[in-house]
Amino acid sequence: MVQRVLVTGGAGFLGSHLCDRLVERGHDVICLDNFFTSQKSNIEHLLGRRNFELVRHDVTEPIVLEVDQIYNLACPAAPGHYQYNPIKTTKTSVMGAINMLGLAKRVKARILHASTSEIYGDPEVHPQAESYRGNVNPIGPRACYDEGKRCAETLMFDYLRQNDVDVRVVRIFNTYGPRMHPYDGRVVSNFVRQAIAGDPITLFGDGSQTRSFCYVDDLVDGFIRFMDLPRGFHGPMNLGNPGEFTIRELAELAVRLSGSGSEIRIEKPLPEDDPTRRRPDISIAMEKLGWEPKVPLEEGLIKTIEFFRSIDLASYRPPTPNY
Ligand code: NAD
Ligand code: UDP
């Protein structure tokens, strides 16, 4: 059935791919964004579509809309972006969640919230299952994001218990692909941009820290499956690719797949509170959604490299100086 769907952060990396899929499925899509970390080029191709609408708005302010489903993605996601104005980051997570939950409550919409593996902090349990409560430093440089996202999860489950709002919480693990902002400072965008340019690849620390990288199409598939699940399970649910790689392995792969001559060098020590390892346990997603990622890292990286080669870097404004 055709739904009226709101995607906050809809012009961003994940949001724009989600909007593509929802428009393709015939839904009436409202993309809401303040363009802090994105630009219109991500959704330009949708602007003429009769079932797509763009609203410039900041989620820290309330908004009156009539919708059936809300995907709440609005929030800077890259460390350099969310640390640029940390107070605003917490406000975006917390006030944004309150405003979107208030909207969901008023119009009886279902809401899927984009939480993060960061709520596990620097994990002492490996791989991370949803039952793990995390190891977050509440006063460190990542806290604005981690604690903001933890509080947003709290709000989701309180609106469920107190107001019967149909919430769904996903904890997203590092996701990459075309339309990542080339200047977001995240590891995949940095390494691919550097490899293509033949610039040195900037390892933070010795590169032995690990991450698990999910290709964007797989993640968006998980979002939609969870949103479409009949009411009963509210999460939290990990979504990510369990393949685990050291950051040095990622650097080597980016260099090899780009056919680059870039040297890999240690740029600076590991940033404060940088998690040393991360891998999702996706048993719940497999059981509830029959979902697991399909795209291997090499294949996804090749598509990402193609995207980065195809864009004009000069047309991208760095959202913050941190990249
Ligand atoms: P992104 O920066 O590309 O997208 C975020 C979007 O939200 C941008 O378009 C930005 O302009 C918008 N935004 C930021 N603050 C806003 C505000 N106050 N009001 C309205 N719009 C605002 O990042 P992304 O990777 O697409 O992340 C999307 C969501 O997924 C975020 O909530 C992020 O925390 C979550 N997430 C992403 C990953 C990942 O690896 N990509 C991992 C974990 C969680
Ligand atoms: N990283 C790196 N070089 C870079 C950017 C990031 O070595 O140019 C490291 C970073 O320290 C972290 C990992 O890559 O250990 C992933 O960083 P990212 O910012 O992509 O996301 P995070 O998972 O830390 O939120």
Side-chain angles (χ1 to χ4, degrees):
M1 199 173 67
V2 172
Q3 306 277 334
R4 297 165 301 174
V5 188
L6 171 64
V7 181
T8 79
F13 161 50
L14 299 180
S16 63
H17 286 277
L18 177 61
C19 286
D20 278 349
R21 288 280 295 277
L22 295 169
V23 165
E24 227 34 70
R25 286 163 69 108
H27 295 307
D28 278 326
V29 178
I30 301 174
C31 166
L32 180 156
D33 211 293
N34 72 349
F35 296 105
F36 170 37
T37 58
S38 56
Q39 59 292 309
K40 289 205 194 87
S41 58
N42 280 351
I43 38 95
E44 210 167 21
H45 57 287
L46 294 172
L47 287 176
R49 299 288 287 262
R50 102 193 126 67
N51 56 340
F52 181 80
E53 202 177 334
L54 178 62
V55 178
R56 181 186 278 264
H57 181 78
D58 190 310
V59 287
T60 59
E61 301 291 337
I63 188 165
V64 177
L65 295 167
E66 315 302 320
V67 292
D68 306 302
Q69 297 182 343
I70 302 168
Y71 289 88
N72 188 35
L73 272 59
C75 187
H81 291 165
Y82 67 66
Q83 288 168 11
Y84 175 70
N85 185 346
I87 297 168
K88 175 70 193 246
T89 299
T90 303
K91 281 171 81 173
T92 297
S93 270
V94 177
M95 299 305 300
I98 290 173
N99 288 327
M100 289 308 122
L101 282 160
L103 172 62
K105 178 184 163 193
R106 181 176 66 79
V107 300
K108 296 194 177 6
R110 185 176 284 182
I111 177 167
L112 183 144
H113 177 70
S115 188
T116 167
S117 54
E118 281 286 320
I119 68 109
Y120 301 123
D122 190 5
E124 302 134 315
V125 168
H126 196 73
Q128 293 79 53
E130 292 82 348
S131 54
Y132 177 50
R133 292 182 185 179
N135 177 35
V136 171
N137 175 1
I139 57 169
R142 297 174 85 104
C144 58
Y145 183 70
D146 302 7
E147 298 290 12
K149 289 283 187 180
R150 287 173 71 95
C151 183
E153 287 202 11
T154 305
L155 286 160
M156 292 290 146
F157 284 90
D158 281 335
Y159 269 78
L160 167 66
R161 284 184 288 257
Q162 195 173 332
N163 298 116
D164 199 34
V165 175
D166 184 359
V167 303
R168 283 120 202 268
V169 174
V170 292
R171 293 178 178 160
I172 306 164
F173 284 65
N174 296 62
T175 300
Y176 69 99
R179 297 194 201 142
M180 290 188 90
H181 198 296
Y183 300 113
D184 68 12
R186 288 189 262 199
V187 69
V188 172
S189 11
N190 269 8
F191 287 5
V192 169
R193 202 189 69 246
Q194 292 159 351
I196 290 175
D199 291 341
I201 307 290
T202 55
L203 280 188
F204 300 167
D206 63 3
S208 63
Q209 70 272 32
T210 70
R211 293 293 187 273
S212 303
F213 298 99
C214 184
Y215 189 65
V216 59
D217 289 355
D218 283 332
L219 186 85
V220 168
D221 183 45
F223 278 1
I224 293 175
R225 284 182 192 222
F226 195 10
M227 181 62 103
D228 288 351
L229 199 67
R231 186 168 178 164
F233 181 70
H234 299 282
M237 179 190 284
N238 288 340
L239 289 180
N241 192 319
E244 185 181 358
F245 296 84
T246 67
I247 295 303
R248 186 176 283 279
E249 284 170 336
L250 179 76
E252 287 162 359
L253 209 51
V255 168
R256 176 165 64 79
L257 297 175
S258 317
S260 164
S262 290
E263 66 160 311
I264 297 172
R265 73 172 184 213
I266 296 179
E267 176 79 2
K268 59 177 185 182
L270 203 60
E272 190 182 343
D273 292 340
D274 198 297
T276 45
R277 56 192 185 157
R278 180 181 287 161
R279 172 155 63 98
D281 177 331
I282 58 165
S283 314
I284 291 184
M286 288 169 79
E287 183 208 321
K288 302 281 180 191
L289 310 180
W291 176 88
E292 63 182 318
K294 296 193 175 69
V295 183
L297 183 57
E298 274 210 32
E299 190 183 321
L301 270 184
I302 290 169
K303 290 182 182 172
T304 310
I305 291 165
E306 278 167 13
F307 168 77
F308 273 68
R309 281 197 207 281
S310 76
I311 58 176
D312 173 16
L313 285 178
S315 68
Y316 284 79
R317 174 186 58 85
T320 73
N322 309 330
Y323 59 88

